[in-house]
Amino acid sequence: MAEKIKLNLEYVLNSSPRILFPYLQEPNELAQWFADDVNYHDGIYEFIWDNESHRAKLIATKENKSVKFKWLDDEPLFL
């Protein structure tokens, strides 16, 4: 079994939060800069990279501050 590594990335973007925020949660906007394509249905985002699909749910949002997704493909890690 492959070892899981937690990865946190931070980027500085010179943009108004009000302008940038929709690009972090709207499927069409996410597809413009984050993934090859993004579909949304019944609260589930489907991110597609190189014809591989990865599903996530938006679990937290702070208007013009942050968004948090939970990957549904991840299996729980038990140690």
Side-chain angles (χ1 to χ4, degrees), residues 21-33 38 45 69:
F21 192 73
Y23 286 85
L24 301 176
Q25 65 178 357
E26 297 294 329
N28 290 336
E29 282 77 0
L30 281 165
Q32 287 184 32
W33 72 279
V38 179
Y45 291 78
F69 289 93

Side-chain angles (χ1 to χ4, degrees), residues 57-61 68-70:
K57 184 171 187 174
L58 181 63
I59 60 171
T61 182
K68 185 175 184 179
F69 289 93
K70 167 72 172 111

Side-chain angles (χ1 to χ4, degrees), residues 20-68:
L20 180 63
F21 192 73
Y23 286 85
L24 301 176
Q25 65 178 357
E26 297 294 329
N28 290 336
E29 282 77 0
L30 281 165
Q32 287 184 32
W33 72 279
F34 185 66
D36 295 337
D37 196 11
V38 179
N39 300 311
Y40 178 83
H41 185 67
D42 290 337
I44 304 298
Y45 291 78
E46 179 187 23
F47 295 89
I48 300 169
W49 291 278
D50 297 326
N51 295 321
E52 262 190 55
S53 173
H54 302 277
R55 298 173 1 154
K57 184 171 187 174
L58 181 63
I59 60 171
T61 182
K62 292 182 184 175
E63 186 72 26
N64 295 329
K65 293 283 184 189
S66 66
V67 296
K68 185 175 184 179

